[in-house]
Short mmCIF file of all heavy atoms in Angstrom, two decimals:
data_model
loop_
_atom_site.label_atom_id
_atom_site.label_comp_id
_atom_site.label_asym_id
_atom_site.label_seq_id
_atom_site.Cartn_x
_atom_site.Cartn_y
_atom_site.Cartn_z
N PHE A 78 104.61 113.14 90.25
CA PHE A 78 103.58 112.71 91.24
C PHE A 78 102.39 112.14 90.47
O PHE A 78 101.79 111.08 90.87
CB PHE A 78 103.15 113.88 92.14
CG PHE A 78 104.17 114.29 93.09
CD1 PHE A 78 104.17 115.59 93.67
CD2 PHE A 78 105.22 113.41 93.50
CE1 PHE A 78 105.13 115.95 94.52
CE2 PHE A 78 106.19 113.83 94.31
CZ PHE A 78 106.14 115.12 94.89
N THR A 79 102.02 112.78 89.35
CA THR A 79 100.91 112.26 88.58
C THR A 79 101.20 110.94 87.98
O THR A 79 100.41 110.03 87.96
CB THR A 79 100.59 113.30 87.41
OG1 THR A 79 100.33 114.57 87.98
CG2 THR A 79 99.35 112.82 86.70
N VAL A 80 102.45 110.78 87.46
CA VAL A 80 102.86 109.48 86.94
C VAL A 80 102.80 108.41 88.03
O VAL A 80 102.31 107.28 87.77
CB VAL A 80 104.32 109.59 86.39
CG1 VAL A 80 104.85 108.19 86.01
CG2 VAL A 80 104.38 110.53 85.25
N ALA A 81 103.28 108.80 89.23
CA ALA A 81 103.27 107.76 90.32
C ALA A 81 101.88 107.39 90.70
O ALA A 81 101.61 106.24 90.99
CB ALA A 81 104.04 108.34 91.57
N LEU A 82 100.93 108.38 90.71
CA LEU A 82 99.56 108.04 91.10
C LEU A 82 98.87 107.21 90.03
O LEU A 82 98.02 106.32 90.30
CB LEU A 82 98.74 109.32 91.30
CG LEU A 82 99.15 110.12 92.54
CD1 LEU A 82 98.43 111.52 92.49
CD2 LEU A 82 98.74 109.36 93.79
N VAL A 83 99.23 107.39 88.74
CA VAL A 83 98.57 106.65 87.67
C VAL A 83 99.06 105.20 87.64
O VAL A 83 98.28 104.27 87.44
CB VAL A 83 98.82 107.37 86.34
CG1 VAL A 83 98.39 106.46 85.17
CG2 VAL A 83 98.07 108.66 86.26
N THR A 84 100.35 105.04 87.78
CA THR A 84 100.93 103.73 87.53
C THR A 84 101.36 102.97 88.83
O THR A 84 101.67 101.79 88.75
CB THR A 84 102.23 103.88 86.65
OG1 THR A 84 103.20 104.62 87.39
CG2 THR A 84 101.91 104.56 85.37
N GLY A 85 101.39 103.70 89.96
CA GLY A 85 101.86 103.06 91.18
C GLY A 85 103.37 103.01 91.25
O GLY A 85 103.92 102.48 92.17
N THR A 86 104.05 103.59 90.32
CA THR A 86 105.51 103.72 90.32
C THR A 86 105.90 104.92 89.52
O THR A 86 105.09 105.43 88.74
CB THR A 86 106.13 102.50 89.63
OG1 THR A 86 107.61 102.60 89.58
CG2 THR A 86 105.66 102.19 88.27
N ASP A 87 107.14 105.43 89.69
CA ASP A 87 107.60 106.57 88.96
C ASP A 87 108.56 106.14 87.88
O ASP A 87 109.40 106.95 87.46
CB ASP A 87 108.15 107.61 89.86
CG ASP A 87 109.22 107.09 90.78
OD1 ASP A 87 109.49 105.84 90.71
OD2 ASP A 87 109.81 107.81 91.59
N LEU A 88 108.54 104.94 87.47
CA LEU A 88 109.40 104.51 86.35
C LEU A 88 108.75 104.88 85.06
O LEU A 88 107.59 104.62 84.75
CB LEU A 88 109.61 102.96 86.41
CG LEU A 88 110.45 102.39 87.53
CD1 LEU A 88 110.40 100.89 87.47
CD2 LEU A 88 111.86 102.88 87.47
N PRO A 89 109.49 105.60 84.17
CA PRO A 89 108.91 106.01 82.86
C PRO A 89 108.41 104.85 82.03
O PRO A 89 107.49 104.98 81.28
CB PRO A 89 110.06 106.81 82.21
CG PRO A 89 111.29 106.28 82.96
CD PRO A 89 110.91 105.94 84.30
N TYR A 90 109.14 103.69 82.10
CA TYR A 90 108.64 102.55 81.32
C TYR A 90 107.24 102.10 81.71
O TYR A 90 106.44 101.69 80.88
CB TYR A 90 109.60 101.39 81.50
CG TYR A 90 110.95 101.58 80.82
CD1 TYR A 90 112.09 102.12 81.43
CD2 TYR A 90 111.11 101.21 79.46
CE1 TYR A 90 113.28 102.28 80.84
CE2 TYR A 90 112.35 101.38 78.84
CZ TYR A 90 113.40 101.91 79.50
OH TYR A 90 114.59 102.09 78.88
N ALA A 91 106.94 102.27 83.01
CA ALA A 91 105.58 101.82 83.51
C ALA A 91 104.53 102.72 82.95
O ALA A 91 103.47 102.26 82.47
CB ALA A 91 105.55 101.81 84.99
N LEU A 92 104.67 104.05 82.90
CA LEU A 92 103.70 104.94 82.39
C LEU A 92 103.59 104.74 80.87
O LEU A 92 102.45 104.75 80.34
CB LEU A 92 104.10 106.40 82.65
CG LEU A 92 103.09 107.38 82.10
CD1 LEU A 92 101.73 107.23 82.71
CD2 LEU A 92 103.57 108.83 82.38
N ALA A 93 104.67 104.53 80.12
CA ALA A 93 104.54 104.22 78.68
C ALA A 93 103.76 102.99 78.47
O ALA A 93 102.92 102.92 77.52
CB ALA A 93 105.97 104.11 78.14
N GLU A 94 103.98 101.96 79.29
CA GLU A 94 103.20 100.68 79.12
C GLU A 94 101.70 100.98 79.46
O GLU A 94 100.81 100.39 78.75
CB GLU A 94 103.75 99.63 80.06
CG GLU A 94 103.04 98.29 80.00
CD GLU A 94 103.20 97.66 78.64
OE1 GLU A 94 104.26 97.93 77.92
OE2 GLU A 94 102.26 96.99 78.19
N THR A 95 101.43 101.78 80.40
CA THR A 95 99.99 102.13 80.75
C THR A 95 99.36 102.85 79.57
O THR A 95 98.18 102.58 79.24
CB THR A 95 100.02 103.01 81.98
OG1 THR A 95 100.62 102.38 83.08
CG2 THR A 95 98.55 103.35 82.37
N VAL A 96 100.05 103.80 78.97
CA VAL A 96 99.49 104.51 77.84
C VAL A 96 99.26 103.57 76.62
O VAL A 96 98.26 103.65 75.91
CB VAL A 96 100.42 105.68 77.40
CG1 VAL A 96 99.86 106.34 76.20
CG2 VAL A 96 100.46 106.68 78.58
N ARG A 97 100.19 102.67 76.39
CA ARG A 97 100.09 101.73 75.33
C ARG A 97 98.93 100.68 75.53
O ARG A 97 98.38 100.12 74.54
CB ARG A 97 101.34 100.96 75.06
CG ARG A 97 102.46 101.73 74.32
CD ARG A 97 103.54 100.84 73.81
NE ARG A 97 104.11 100.08 74.96
CZ ARG A 97 105.12 100.48 75.72
NH1 ARG A 97 105.66 101.64 75.48
NH2 ARG A 97 105.63 99.69 76.65
N SER A 98 98.58 100.44 76.76
CA SER A 98 97.61 99.45 77.08
C SER A 98 96.22 99.82 76.57
O SER A 98 95.44 98.91 76.27
CB SER A 98 97.56 99.21 78.61
OG SER A 98 97.05 100.39 79.27
N SER A 99 95.92 101.12 76.51
CA SER A 99 94.58 101.52 75.99
C SER A 99 94.61 102.93 75.54
O SER A 99 95.27 103.81 76.17
CB SER A 99 93.52 101.34 77.20
OG SER A 99 92.28 101.85 76.77
N ALA A 100 93.83 103.22 74.47
CA ALA A 100 93.83 104.59 73.97
C ALA A 100 93.14 105.53 74.96
O ALA A 100 93.31 106.74 74.94
CB ALA A 100 93.17 104.65 72.61
N GLU A 101 92.27 104.95 75.79
CA GLU A 101 91.53 105.76 76.73
C GLU A 101 92.44 106.39 77.78
O GLU A 101 92.16 107.46 78.34
CB GLU A 101 90.57 104.87 77.51
CG GLU A 101 89.43 104.35 76.61
CD GLU A 101 88.47 103.45 77.39
OE1 GLU A 101 88.70 103.25 78.66
OE2 GLU A 101 87.50 102.97 76.80
N GLN A 102 93.64 105.77 78.00
CA GLN A 102 94.59 106.35 78.94
C GLN A 102 95.08 107.72 78.49
O GLN A 102 95.39 108.55 79.29
CB GLN A 102 95.78 105.42 79.14
CG GLN A 102 95.44 104.02 79.70
CD GLN A 102 94.94 104.10 81.11
OE1 GLN A 102 95.25 105.04 81.86
NE2 GLN A 102 94.14 103.09 81.49
#
């Protein structure tokens, strides 16, 4: 659920891309 709220999807690739986008994530 946390992943889905952060990225708007529950795909693991999307969260990994979000984390790579900025160290602040």
Side-chain angles (χ1 to χ4, degrees):
F78 290 157
T79 306
V80 172
L82 290 172
V83 171
T84 64
T86 176
D87 52 0
L88 290 175
Y90 287 93
L92 180 59
E94 182 62 31
T95 301
V96 174
R97 284 194 304 271
S98 64
S99 173
E101 296 179 356
Q102 299 292 336

